[in-house]
């Protein structure tokens, strides 16, 4: 019996001493075990940095940037922030801390392959997003240094088609031509002209329908800057319509007679617009496929269908306002004091007065056979032909 009592007393004494030792230990040591939840904002081979919007924690392993982690372990404070000083337990964190910020904008990738949210301010991202460039997006994350580190996408939409200063836009239209350099394109979107700046060395064909993703800058006009030629999608050419049915951005086709050659282009009998980009003479019949740019038609593919020399002699077929070729002998020539002249051109029983403005510098002689191309008009009630160039009158059969 005494033996049992001694054993009980010894055990109680050991327990008492152990408890006292624990209390003493708890009073004398600094408990450095702490919890930390943060976003990885930097990851190297040997260390990473977690950030919780106010404090940083240096972790001695490589983590994934933009991912939330929770860590519990022995930490210590340094001049630059917290760091792990002993054992720790680390795992991904699935909850959403309240200190995360929400921001929204359009996702953008610059020529230097840097990633941004355009709000329209440029907010650089700490990592790329797995969405289409130009898409409207809302994200949760944290700002560290000069970058925003996205943690979770809360909403993602497609690129906007509306034009807003400083923001990306997805634009469809027809290439009307260039301005300045070859990489500067005028685009018609069905309502207005847009001025597209392509990357250096790139160009687009006139008349081509395209879809362009670029950054909008509004000044006195709408400018769109394309960072990558991969952001331009070619959609082909619009169908050809009759040339007198075209509107801006449409392609017209047909055979037309050249009525007059001017600096602003060819005057045709099939449309009120001047034709540019092709050389022909008054009286030539040409086959036209041209783009309506609003102010003129520009040849995409034009060719001579019938040279004017093959037109019939229309001296006997006077029709005021009609274009014709006349050929005949000059019966007489008269010059007035102001330099204006008239020549009577006769063929058989038909005759026409040929107007000779001083500004054209045309000289014809009596008795010579001439050919002229022009528009029928009248002179004091008599049939006359008005030419627009000295090249439209020549001796002989031309």
């Amino acid at each position: 019996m005494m033996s049992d009592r001694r054993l009980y007393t010894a055990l109680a004494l050991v327990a008492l001493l152990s408890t006292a030792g624990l209390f003493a230990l708890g009073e004398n040591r600094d408990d450095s075990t702490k919890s930390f939840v943060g976003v990885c904002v930097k990851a190297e081979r040997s260390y990473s940095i977690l950030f919780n919007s106010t404090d940083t924690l240096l972790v001695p392993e490589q983590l994934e940037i933009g991912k939330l982690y929770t860590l519990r372990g022995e930490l210590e404070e340094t001049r630059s922030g917290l760091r792990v000083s002993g054992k720790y337990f680390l795992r991904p964190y699935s909850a959403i801390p309240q200190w995360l910020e929400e921001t929204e904008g359009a996702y953008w990738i610059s020529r230097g392959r840097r990633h941004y949210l355009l709000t329209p301010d440029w907010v650089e991202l700490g990592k790329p997003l797995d969405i289409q460039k130009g898409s409207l997006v809302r994200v949760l994350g944290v700002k560290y240094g000069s970058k925003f580190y996205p943690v979770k996408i809360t909403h993602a939409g497609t690129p906007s088609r509306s034009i807003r200063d400083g923001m990306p836009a997805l634009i469809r239209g027809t290439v009307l031509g260039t301005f300045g350099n070859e990489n500067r394109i005028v685009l018609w979107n069905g309502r207005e002209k847009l001025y597209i700046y392509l990357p250096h060395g790139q160009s687009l064909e006139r008349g081509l329908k395209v879809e362009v993703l670029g950054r909008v800058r509004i000044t006195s006009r709408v400018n769109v800057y394309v960072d990558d030629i991969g952001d331009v999608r070619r959609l082909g050419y619009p169908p050809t319509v009759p040339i007198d049915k075209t509107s801006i951005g449409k392609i017209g086709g047909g055979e037309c007679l050249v009525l007059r050659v001017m600096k602003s282009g060819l005057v045709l009998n099939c449309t009120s617009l001047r034709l540019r980009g092709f050389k022909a003479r008054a009286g030539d019949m040409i086959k036209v496929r041209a783009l309506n740019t609003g102010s003129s038609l520009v040849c995409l593919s034009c060719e001579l269908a019938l040279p004017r020399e093959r037109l019939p002699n229309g001296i006997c077929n006077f029709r005021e306002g009609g274009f014709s070729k006349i050929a005949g002998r000059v019966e007489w020539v008269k010059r007035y004091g102001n330099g204006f002249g008239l020549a009577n051109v006769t063929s058989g029983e038909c005759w026409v007065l040929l107007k000779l403005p001083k500004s054209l510098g045309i000289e014809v002689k009596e008795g010579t056979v001439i050919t002229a191309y022009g528009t029928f008009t009248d002179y004091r009630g008599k049939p006359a032909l008005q030419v627009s160039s000295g090249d439209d009158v020549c001796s002989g059969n031309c």
Side-chain angles (χ1 to χ4, degrees), residues 106 108 118 133-136 159-172 194 196 211-216 222-226 231:
W108 197 250
L118 301 186
K133 179 179 178 181
S135 297
L136 298 174
S160 174
R161 294 188 179 275
S162 62
I163 294 173
R164 179 183 165 195
D165 190 27
M167 296 295 286
L170 190 63
I171 299 163
R172 283 193 179 191
L194 310 177
I196 312 297
E211 186 175 70
V212 173
L213 178 64
R215 292 176 292 108
V216 175
V222 178
N223 304 284
V224 181
Y225 296 87
V226 179
D231 295 333

Side-chain angles (χ1 to χ4, degrees), residues 326-356:
I326 65 166
R329 184 178 298 278
V330 177
E331 295 296 328
W332 51 260
V333 179
K334 184 176 181 180
R335 286 283 179 186
Y336 296 92
N338 60 5
F340 176 76
L342 288 173
N344 179 291
V345 182
T346 301
S347 177
E349 296 181 354
C350 303
W351 60 270
V352 168
L353 296 177
L354 177 64
K355 290 184 175 183
L356 302 172

Side-chain angles (χ1 to χ4, degrees), residues 72 113 142 179 207 212 233 248 259 262 267 277 303 307 391:
R72 182 170 181 80
R113 309 306 297 172
V142 64
F179 66 100
V212 173
R233 189 158 66 99
I248 185 169
L259 301 179
M262 302 181 68
V267 179
E303 59 184 27
D391 295 334

Side-chain angles (χ1 to χ4, degrees), residues 227-357:
D227 290 339
D228 191 323
I229 195 62
D231 295 333
V232 177
R233 189 158 66 99
R234 290 168 167 82
L235 304 176
Y237 290 89
T240 301
V241 300
I243 199 165
D244 60 338
K245 303 295 183 183
T246 63
S247 58
I248 185 169
K250 303 296 184 182
I251 295 176
E255 286 196 359
C256 305
L257 181 69
V258 179
L259 301 179
R260 191 175 179 185
V261 179
M262 302 181 68
K263 289 183 178 180
S264 57
L266 303 179
V267 179
L268 306 179
N269 69 336
C270 56
T271 175
S272 60
L273 294 174
R274 304 284 189 268
L275 178 70
R276 297 191 295 110
F278 185 70
K279 290 184 178 181
R281 305 161 300 171
D284 285 340
M285 183 71 72
I286 59 176
K287 187 175 182 180
V288 177
R289 180 174 173 268
L291 175 69
N292 186 330
T293 65
S295 58
S296 63
L297 291 165
V298 179
C299 273
L300 300 178
S301 58
C302 298
E303 59 184 27
L304 181 65
L306 184 73
R308 67 184 186 177
E309 289 80 8
R310 292 172 60 184
L311 290 176
N313 187 359
I315 196 169
C316 295
N317 300 309
F318 174 82
R319 180 173 58 86
E320 188 169 356
F323 186 91
S324 185
K325 163 190 170 181
I326 65 166
R329 184 178 298 278
V330 177
E331 295 296 328
W332 51 260
V333 179
K334 184 176 181 180
R335 286 283 179 186
Y336 296 92
N338 60 5
F340 176 76
L342 288 173
N344 179 291
V345 182
T346 301
S347 177
E349 296 181 354
C350 303
W351 60 270
V352 168
L353 296 177
L354 177 64
K355 290 184 175 183
L356 302 172

Side-chain angles (χ1 to χ4, degrees), residues 17-165:
L17 291 172
S18 297
T19 302
L22 285 175
F23 275 110
L25 186 61
E27 290 175 358
N28 294 331
R29 75 182 182 90
D30 178 19
D31 186 1
S32 59
T33 300
K34 297 179 181 179
S35 295
F36 190 94
V37 175
V39 179
C40 178
V41 294
K42 188 171 184 178
E44 302 292 343
R45 286 187 178 182
S46 58
Y47 74 94
S48 298
I49 293 177
L50 299 181
F51 183 59
N52 66 359
S53 81
T54 55
D55 299 314
T56 59
L57 173 62
L58 186 67
V59 181
E61 62 178 280
Q62 187 174 20
L63 304 178
E64 182 181 338
I65 288 181
K67 194 169 183 178
L68 267 170
Y69 292 91
T70 178
L71 182 146
R72 182 170 181 80
E74 298 177 18
L75 310 179
E76 68 175 0
E77 292 187 12
T78 68
R79 185 175 297 177
S80 59
L82 296 171
R83 72 181 181 91
V84 175
S85 60
K87 294 182 179 179
Y88 65 93
F89 175 73
L90 178 75
R91 64 182 175 84
Y93 190 71
S94 58
I96 301 297
Q98 293 201 350
W99 46 261
L100 287 180
E101 304 173 45
E102 185 175 71
T103 187
E104 59 183 315
Y107 180 51
W108 197 250
I109 305 172
S110 71
R111 293 182 187 179
R113 309 306 297 172
R114 298 170 75 175
H115 304 266
Y116 295 90
L117 277 185
L118 301 186
T119 64
D121 292 333
W122 290 68
V123 178
E124 187 171 2
L125 300 177
K127 71 169 189 177
L129 300 178
D130 189 20
I131 60 174
Q132 181 187 354
K133 179 179 178 181
S135 297
L136 298 174
V137 64
R138 187 182 303 125
V139 295
L140 285 171
V142 64
K143 185 176 176 64
Y144 178 73
S146 62
K147 297 181 181 180
F148 185 83
Y149 290 82
V151 174
K152 182 180 179 181
I153 295 175
T154 60
H155 173 78
T158 56
S160 174
R161 294 188 179 275
S162 62
I163 294 173
R164 179 183 165 195
D165 190 27

